[in-house]
Amino acid sequence: MRKSEPHKYRGELSFAFTSALTRVNTMGSLEETCASLRARITATEQQLADLKRDLASAQAQSERGNQDGELRWPLLQEEYKRYGRQMIVSQVGLPGQLKLRSAKVLLVGAGGLGCPAAQYLAGAGIGTIGLIDGDTVEVSNLHRQVLHRTANVGKYKVDSAIESLRDLNPHPTYIAHRTHLTPDDAPAIFQQYDVILDCTDNPATRYLISDTAVLCGKPLVSASALRTEGQLMVLNNPPRAPGDKTGGPCYRCVFPKPPPADSVVSCADGGILGPVVGTMGVLQALEAIKVITTPETAEGTTRPRDPPSLHIFSAYSSPLVRTIRLRSRRANCAVCSAEATVTLDTIRSGSTDYVFFCGSTNLPSLLSPEERISAREYNERHSVSSESHTVIDVRDEAQFGICSLANSINIPISTVLATSSARPTEEATHLPSWVPSELASDSTHPIYVVCRLGNDSQIVVKKMKDLGLDQHGKRFIGDIRGGFKSWKAQVDHEWPEY
């Protein structure tokens, strides 16, 4: 490194700082100012990381060089010991290890998928590992997000993860992006890396990641996990420009249309078994290593790239993994075909609206205010009153077994939705089998429906009214607004939170 270079970088950093202050004084929007400063901080951290890597490389060359200044050993002695067990694997070897050492990998998400993936990538000796996540560590994360510790609750996930990764392997350069991925920032961030890992859990971000990866020419390793199942794909591999049919398919090629917004279930709602999401994250790391170390397909190549495939993991099935071959790029794909309408400009400008495309994840209220009651009001009305009423808990059996209101009846929403909602007629007067006898009677005692968060309960209230159980308005049927989350906040602070 030339002696003048540090002065050059200090000058650039000084200029960046001065420019930032100027923007603070001139920009009309505080939000835009903060976004600009965050972007500059990220760029400065990248510059610093590059400088540290250059310094480490220069020092390593000095240590490994002979008296004539020629490079004798391409790795440090400690690195030979650290990576030796994988270097003697024929698919890796010394050339593959050197590729890993020079590779830059970005993980979008530092949660259940990102933690094990980053752990194994760091252990393998990836040269630069970037983590982008705007969330902080919560206690509920710890059973599956294995890089985080109890002492780090409240810290940014990326900082907590990097703290653990440095303890595991101090050699890689770790870059923290303490923010949620946005269309405005995604292209600039992706350009800094060689391989992208999608470790997120919502459709809108998945489409953004895939689109940006294709347009920036980066291979993408995408995975997901929920309950006891997971999925894994390697996309845009090999990475090719839009319109090049030799490139690998993208996320839009596999899923041209997103799932209905009201059908998307998160880990918080559906649950997740830790080893399941851990397995998928480890497989992501494995696929990333394969992408980095496998040469381009060419004449004489003995290790061709794997064909595009969707791997489906199911913890309670045999076999554990099923593989479905994927087609090549779609001829009408909006991002990777010759007819592409999605570009980096449409992403940055917001013209490609991912939230609109995938639908809002905020479910609208299905009931009127008169059909809902707060947890506090329900408790005040019935804790001292002997008025007969019925409480229907529509969570699944496992959740009902964790905690439940006294004398409540468990009817899982899955059971309710599996039956027709048609109102009984004179020809067909039988109600579905899930309807308890006390609800099918002519009683006018009120019925309250409760769930975990106050969404499923609204659906069941509508279903029960469609069946005529409200006796044409004579019987009150409503839900407890906000479900057991509100019950804990308003009534019983010791109620289990899970």
Side-chain angles (χ1 to χ4, degrees):
M1 181 183 294
R2 295 192 301 273
K3 292 184 178 180
S4 61
E5 286 187 353
H7 299 289
K8 169 189 172 185
Y9 281 111
R10 282 200 296 271
E12 292 177 354
L13 296 179
S14 175
F15 175 76
F17 179 72
T18 304
S19 300
L21 290 178
T22 303
R23 284 181 176 272
V24 169
N25 294 326
T26 58
M27 292 176 65
S29 169
L30 182 59
E31 183 177 347
E32 292 180 0
T33 302
C34 292
S36 174
L37 290 173
R38 282 194 295 268
R40 288 180 177 276
I41 289 172
T42 300
T44 302
E45 288 178 339
Q46 177 66 60
Q47 278 189 349
L48 181 60
D50 290 341
L51 284 171
K52 288 182 177 179
R53 187 176 60 255
D54 291 344
L55 176 60
S57 177
Q59 290 175 334
Q61 289 185 26
S62 176
E63 294 174 9
R64 298 192 299 271
N66 57 24
Q67 294 180 349
D68 298 326
E70 296 178 353
L71 190 62
R72 184 180 182 189
W73 305 113
L75 297 174
L76 298 171
Q77 287 298 315
E78 197 272 342
E79 289 180 295
Y80 281 101
K81 291 182 179 180
R82 180 181 289 268
Y83 308 126
R85 296 299 186 275
Q86 72 184 28
M87 288 169 60
I88 61 177
V89 175
S90 61
Q91 289 87 343
V92 179
L94 179 60
Q97 190 62 49
L98 293 175
K99 288 182 179 180
L100 294 174
R101 193 172 188 245
S102 63
K104 298 180 179 181
V105 178
L106 174 67
L107 296 91
V108 185
L113 292 167
C115 282
Q119 201 166 26
Y120 275 92
L121 290 173
I126 295 295
T128 301
I129 297 176
L131 292 165
I132 178 167
D133 198 314
D135 289 339
T136 56
V137 180
E138 299 178 0
V139 172
S140 62
N141 303 147
L142 300 180
H143 88 284
R144 67 191 184 281
Q145 300 180 15
V146 293
L147 286 179
H148 308 311
R149 300 292 179 262
T150 302
N152 286 346
V153 169
K155 277 188 178 182
Y156 274 109
K157 286 186 177 181
V158 291
D159 293 333
S160 172
I162 289 175
E163 180 182 310
S164 295
L165 294 173
R166 284 202 176 104
D167 286 340
L168 172 65
N169 189 353
H171 293 292
T173 298
Y174 301 104
I175 301 174
H177 302 272
R178 303 173 188 89
T179 182
H180 295 292
L181 188 69
T182 65
D184 187 44
D185 296 334
I189 294 175
F190 280 29
Q191 291 286 9
Q192 303 171 28
Y193 297 91
D194 304 314
V195 180
I196 312 298
L197 270 64
D198 181 354
C199 305
T200 63
D201 62 357
N202 71 86
T205 307
R206 290 189 180 283
Y207 283 100
L208 167 62
I209 292 171
S210 175
D211 292 354
T212 308
V214 170
L215 296 172
C216 291
K218 313 295 181 180
L220 170 65
V221 184
S222 177
S224 63
L226 182 67
R227 299 189 180 98
T228 62
E229 299 182 346
Q231 294 184 354
L232 174 74
M233 295 181 291
V234 180
L235 302 169
N236 195 42
N237 185 42
R240 295 289 185 265
D244 189 335
K245 296 180 180 179
T246 64
C250 70
Y251 195 80
R252 286 183 186 265
C253 293
V254 183
F255 303 110
K257 295 182 179 179
D262 57 2
S263 71
V264 177
V265 180
S266 67
C267 290
D269 293 332
I272 181 67
L273 198 59
V276 172
V277 70
T279 297
M280 305 316 298
V282 170
L283 289 175
Q284 280 188 283
L286 173 62
E287 292 297 338
I289 291 171
K290 289 165 59 180
V291 168
I292 294 167
T293 58
T294 301
E296 288 280 353
T297 302
E299 286 188 26
T301 296
T302 59
R303 294 162 54 193
R305 293 183 183 274
D306 294 334
S309 302
L310 169 63
H311 305 286
I312 301 174
F313 176 86
S314 182
Y316 286 85
S317 297
S318 182
L320 288 174
V321 180
R322 293 181 295 114
T323 298
I324 301 173
R325 288 285 298 271
L326 298 176
R327 296 180 178 178
S328 57
R329 289 182 167 183
R330 285 181 176 266
N332 60 346
C333 178
V335 67
C336 68
S337 72
E339 303 174 6
T341 56
V342 177
T343 66
L344 289 179
D345 288 338
T346 66
I347 292 176
R348 291 193 192 97
S349 67
S351 299
T352 302
D353 191 329
Y354 292 95
V355 174
F356 176 79
F357 177 65
C358 295
S360 175
T361 56
N362 298 319
L363 297 177
S365 178
L366 301 177
L367 304 179
S368 66
E370 293 76 21
E371 296 174 289
R372 314 196 74 185
I373 186 173
S374 70
R376 180 179 291 108
E377 184 181 356
Y378 167 83
N379 184 60
E380 292 173 350
R381 180 179 300 180
H382 294 287
S383 61
V384 296
S385 172
S386 59
E387 178 189 8
S388 296
H389 66 285
T390 302
V391 178
I392 305 296
D393 187 328
V394 297
R395 296 173 300 159
D396 61 40
E397 186 177 352
Q399 295 187 55
F400 186 76
I402 295 173
C403 53
S404 61
L405 295 177
N407 301 317
S408 59
I409 301 172
N410 182 214
I411 306 176
I413 187 173
S414 57
T415 301
V416 176
L417 296 179
T419 62
S420 171
S421 61
R423 181 184 294 267
T425 63
E426 292 182 1
E427 293 79 15
T429 58
H430 297 293
L431 290 168
S433 59
W434 59 263
V435 178
S437 58
E438 56 265 42
L439 301 190
S441 67
D442 294 333
S443 170
T444 58
H445 294 151
I447 301 172
Y448 301 96
V449 183
V450 66
C451 66
R452 187 181 179 194
L453 300 174
N455 296 322
D456 291 347
S457 56
Q458 296 185 67
I459 297 172
V460 174
V461 167
K462 295 285 288 183
K463 186 89 168 182
M464 295 174 74
K465 289 191 172 185
D466 288 342
L467 292 171
L469 298 177
D470 64 339
Q471 299 178 24
H472 305 286
K474 295 178 182 179
R475 168 189 268 179
F476 173 83
I477 302 180
D479 84 321
I480 297 178
R481 187 170 56 247
F484 286 114
K485 183 177 182 180
S486 294
W487 184 265
K488 179 179 177 65
Q490 300 175 14
V491 179
D492 185 355
H493 300 309
E494 296 183 359
W495 190 266
E497 182 177 1
Y498 59 91

